[in-house]
Structures are given as C-alpha cells and as structure tokens.
C-alpha cells in the first residue's frame, strides 16, 4: 500500500517507520526536552537512543550502512522529533549537513572512511562555513588553507589557519567539514576549497561557546584552526570547488531546517489545541470560543500547507530535479516564517501560562527563531527564489 499524490509517494513502510519515530519522540524525547533546554546540555543519552533505532542511518545509502530511504523519510523523522524537542532534532539535521559534502563530492576513500561510522551513530560531524566576518557572504572568508609538500618525505599536506563561527556540534563533532580560501585572487566562486578536519588533529581547539535564545541543547560556537595539518586526501572534490560544494549541500540540507520548523509549529499547534480543550473560562472550555477556534484553524492550516511544500521539495531532491534548489529554499522560507507566527499564537492561546517555562510553548517560540536564520537567512532564501524565478 502507498499513499500517492502528484508530487510524492510515501511507501507504507515509511509511514510505519514514522509512527515508530513518533512513539520514540513522545515517550523518550518529550520527557527530556525541558531539562535539555534548561541545562543547555547536549543529550548524549538521546544520541545513543537514536543510534540504537537506526535514526542516524536515515541520511545514508545502504552501501554505507544507512537506511537508503531518502530525503523525505529523513525529514519526516526530523519533523516528528522537532514536535517535542528542536535541539534533539538538530542531531539528525547536522548528521546530514556535515556529511553531504562527502556524499556529493568526496572521493571513494573519504566516503568509505567517514560515512559508515556516521550512519551507525559512532561519529558525528560538523559543517564549518560561517565566520565572524563572513556569514551570508562567503567572499569575506578569512580562513586559509595552504598546500605544503615535505621535501624529505614527499608527503603532500594542507595547512589550515582560521576561526569559524556559529558552528553546530562544536566540541561534540568527531570531524569538521571546513571551507577555506586556497586562492584569494580567484574570488569566492573558484578560490574556496572544502576539507575534512578530524577533531583530534594538532592545532584544532574549541573556542567560545554561545549562550543562545533557543536550541540550547545543541552546542554552537567557534572552532579554531592553528596550523592544522591534514593529508591531501582530505580535500573534498577538487581545489577551488568549495563554493560549489557548499551551495549544493545547502540545496539539500535546508530541507532539514524546514522540517524542524514544521515540527516546532505542529508541536505548538497540537499543544495549544489540547490546552484549549481543557482550559475553562466563563464556565466553558476556551476551545468553544470562536476567537480561539480561528487561531487554531489558521495554525493548523499553515502547518498543513508547509508540510505539502516540504514533502514536494523532498521528492524533488530525491529525484534530482533541476528546480530542487528553488523548492528547498521555498520550503525553508515558508516553514520557518510559519513557525514564528504559529508559536506566537500558541503563546497567546495559553495566555499567561504560555509565557512561563512550566509549559513548552515559550520554548517552541524561542526555538523557532533560529530557523529563520541558519543555513541561509530567509532574506537569502528570497534571493535564491527570486533569481530562480527571474532567470
């Protein structure tokens, strides 16, 4: 049995997998969510739980030990986890983000060395593109990589120097995909290259960790590279191809942000609806008042619309369709803007209770904001979409 639409197909086994993930999220993740947020601690226990249930295999093909189930199944899983804990959903998101450069452009040797250990959950990656002075503009990148060949041994290496910023999984990741300037005269389109840098390389250190508004259970900050030497084989793709690697990666991975945002919005909607059925004012449940019903109706409708756009975009990525970049940008834009709008309304439905930490909707609101910012701000998404429409 399959559920069919004109845009995507969800096999029955994927629906069953989704339901199993939903149960894990509700029974095992939800009870931990408030504590993860309050203590701002990475949930190692949930990472082990996800590995046990093969969730880290979702971004990978079967030949590397993954599930081979594609982008749609991965983002259905992210959505289910984000309904209860956005920080925990980010573990799955970065498992894809940090390995996509290797999957899309890496040598067979890099794929064999890194992907199976990520699919099993043994290793986790990080994606290091942004810098203190280069967020949306890669042309401002200052991190440098220089080639060095040892005269005595003939060993061919790259030496990396620089500081990155806003990097998820800082201090947790076993390796970092690092973008660095290799030819400053060539400009960002051809002068940046991508490398794998293992966390145990001499010269690598963990810098400042950020104290954040939301997704507090996921460490974010500055990895520092001081004369870090890596073998030539750790270059991803070819020299000067880094910008292409980064853009192709984000065309795929921003779907994870869309799914996280959708999960946050749906989780907030579900909680507000359940609350409205129980909360009584003027002798009746507030769900019986049209003002509340209309809020919930709009919230649910927007979530449903966002889900259709996300799933269609996932199907386009799975099929490798030429307009997948435009659709992934639209899915990210729509769902992240919607997450902010919906969570504000969820707080309003709960009234004063929505403003206190005893209830989860204030956390949903704080977590939602980052989805409009990371993996390309929504202003950048509009640039991507606008160029696709007018080109």
């Amino acid at each position: 049995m399959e559920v069919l639409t004109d845009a995507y197909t969800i096999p029955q086994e994927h629906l069953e997998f989704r339901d199993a993930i939903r149960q894990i999220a509700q029974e095992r993740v939800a009870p931990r969510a408030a504590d993860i947020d309050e203590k701002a601690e990475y949930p190692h226990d949930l990472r082990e739980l996800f590995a046990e249930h093969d969730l880290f295999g979702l971004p990978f093909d079967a030949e590397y030990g993954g599930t081979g189930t594609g982008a749609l199944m991965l983002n259905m899983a992210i959505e289910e986890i984000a309904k209860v804990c956005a920080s925990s959903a980010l573990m799955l998101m970065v498992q894809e983000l940090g390995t996509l450069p290797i999957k899309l452009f890496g040598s067979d040797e890099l794929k064999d060395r890194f992907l199976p250990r990520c699919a099993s959950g043994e290793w986790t990656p990080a994606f290091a593109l942004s810098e203190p002075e280069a967020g949306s503009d890669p042309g401002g990148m200052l991190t440098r990589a220089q080639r060095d060949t040892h005269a005595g041994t003939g060993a061919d290496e790259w030496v990396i120097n620089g500081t990155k910023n806003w990097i998820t999984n800082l201090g947790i990741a076993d390796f970092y995909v690092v973008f660095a300037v290799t030819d400053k005269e060539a400009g960002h389109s051809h002068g940046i290259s991508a490398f794998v840098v293992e966390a145990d390389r001499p010269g690598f250190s963990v810098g400042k960790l950020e104290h954040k508004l939301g997704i507090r259970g996921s460490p974010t900050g500055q990895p520092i590279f001081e004369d870090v030497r890596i073998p030539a084989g750790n270059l991803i793709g070819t020299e000067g191809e880094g910008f292409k690697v980064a853009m192709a990666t984000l065309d795929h991975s921003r779907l994870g942000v869309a799914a996280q945002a959708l999960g946050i919005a749906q989780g907030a909607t579900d909680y507000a609806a359940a609350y409205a059925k129980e909360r009584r004012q003027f002798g009746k449940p507030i769900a019986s008042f049209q003002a509340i019903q209309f809020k919930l109706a709009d919230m649910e409708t927007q979530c449903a619309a966002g889900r259709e756009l996300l799933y269609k975009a996932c199907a386009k990525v799975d099929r490798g369709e030429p307009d997948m970049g435009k659709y992934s940008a639209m899915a990210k834009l729509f769902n992240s803007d919607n997450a902010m709008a919906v969570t504000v309304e969820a707080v309003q439905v709960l009234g004063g209770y929505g403003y206190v930490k005893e209830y989860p909707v204030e956390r949903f609101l704080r977590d939602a904001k980052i989805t409009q910012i990371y993996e390309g701000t929504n202003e950048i998404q509009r640039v991507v979409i606008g160029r696709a429409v007018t080109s």
Side-chain angles (χ1 to χ4, degrees):
M1 174 184 174
E2 292 182 333
V3 177
L4 300 175
T5 77
D6 62 349
Y8 57 85
T9 301
I10 307 178
Q12 180 63 29
E13 57 267 27
H14 289 193
L15 294 174
E16 293 169 358
F17 196 5
R18 180 205 61 190
D19 292 344
I21 295 166
R22 180 178 295 169
Q23 184 175 358
I24 291 169
Q26 295 292 334
E27 295 179 0
R28 301 290 297 278
V29 181
R32 291 274 288 114
D35 193 53
I36 289 168
D37 176 73
E38 182 66 26
K39 295 180 179 178
E41 291 179 351
Y42 183 83
H44 290 280
D45 58 325
L46 295 184
R47 178 177 167 180
E48 293 175 3
L49 175 69
F50 291 174
E52 289 171 9
H53 290 274
D54 211 18
L55 300 195
F56 288 123
L58 285 167
F60 303 99
D61 293 335
E63 65 180 302
Y64 298 110
T67 60
T69 45
L72 180 53
M73 183 67 245
L74 169 64
N75 287 292
M76 290 167 64
I78 292 169
E79 177 190 348
E80 292 301 326
I81 297 168
K83 284 180 183 178
V84 297
C85 182
S87 291
S88 298
L90 194 52
M91 288 193 288
L92 277 189
M93 294 160 60
V94 79
Q95 204 75 1
E96 182 190 39
L97 172 63
T99 54
L100 269 167
I102 299 173
K103 288 168 55 180
L104 296 174
F105 296 92
S107 65
D108 289 341
E109 189 274 333
L110 282 178
K111 292 176 183 176
D112 291 338
R113 180 151 47 111
F114 290 97
L115 299 188
R117 299 178 81 167
C118 290
S120 69
E122 178 186 356
W123 281 356
T124 190
F127 183 82
L129 176 63
S130 295
E131 295 187 4
E133 302 300 325
S136 299
D137 175 20
M141 188 176 295
L142 299 177
T143 299
R144 297 287 188 263
Q146 293 183 307
R147 201 157 198 157
D148 184 31
T149 301
H150 286 280
T153 63
D156 198 8
E157 295 181 325
W158 288 93
V159 182
I160 299 178
N161 283 280
T163 299
K164 295 293 182 176
N165 210 31
W166 318 114
I167 305 307
T168 301
N169 265 5
L170 180 65
I172 299 295
D174 296 279
F175 64 92
Y176 295 74
V177 171
V178 179
F179 295 83
V181 175
T182 48
D183 183 354
K184 62 182 180 180
E185 304 300 326
H188 70 267
S189 296
H190 301 287
I192 296 172
S193 301
F195 304 88
V196 178
V197 180
E198 297 89 338
D200 58 2
R201 293 275 174 188
F204 170 79
S205 62
V206 173
K208 180 183 71 170
L209 282 164
E210 304 292 349
H211 299 280
K212 307 192 299 288
L213 174 71
I215 55 165
R216 287 166 44 81
S218 178
T220 305
Q222 292 185 338
I224 299 169
F225 307 88
E226 298 176 301
D227 291 329
V228 178
R229 290 184 171 271
I230 58 172
N234 279 26
L235 174 68
I236 299 174
T238 60
E239 185 177 343
E241 200 175 29
F243 183 73
K244 176 182 176 182
V245 171
M247 294 304 102
T249 296
L250 294 173
D251 278 348
H252 290 73
S253 68
R254 65 172 68 102
L255 292 174
V257 180
Q260 182 190 41
L262 172 60
I264 292 168
Q266 189 66 65
T269 299
D270 293 346
Y271 194 92
Y275 177 90
K277 294 175 187 176
E278 299 296 327
R279 175 67 169 163
R280 299 182 69 84
Q281 293 285 275
F282 307 103
K284 61 180 71 174
I286 63 171
S288 66
F289 298 117
Q290 190 178 69
I292 299 298
Q293 291 176 1
F294 279 12
K295 285 185 186 296
L296 294 172
D298 288 344
M299 293 158 69
E300 182 75 3
T301 299
Q302 292 296 96
C303 288
R307 185 172 296 107
E308 291 300 312
L309 181 54
L310 170 63
Y311 286 14
K312 182 173 182 176
C314 288
K316 285 181 174 291
V317 166
D318 280 334
R319 294 192 292 256
E321 294 183 6
D323 60 351
M324 66 181 187
K326 181 184 78 170
Y327 272 85
S328 67
M330 291 194 299
K332 194 268 193 189
L333 170 65
F334 184 92
N335 280 289
S336 57
D337 280 352
N338 183 56
M340 277 304 299
V342 164
T343 53
V344 167
E345 289 289 65
V347 169
Q348 192 71 17
V349 170
L350 269 69
Y353 290 112
Y355 202 68
V356 298
K357 288 193 173 186
E358 183 181 352
Y359 294 81
V361 291
E362 63 86 28
R363 170 167 50 85
F364 288 142
L365 173 58
R366 290 186 287 107
D367 287 340
K369 183 58 194 175
I370 191 61
T371 66
Q372 294 180 306
I373 298 171
Y374 62 10
E375 293 197 42
T377 64
N378 281 6
E379 289 73 20
I380 292 295
Q381 303 312 314
R382 288 179 168 89
V383 170
V384 171
I385 297 161
R387 287 176 177 172
V389 169
T390 57
S391 63

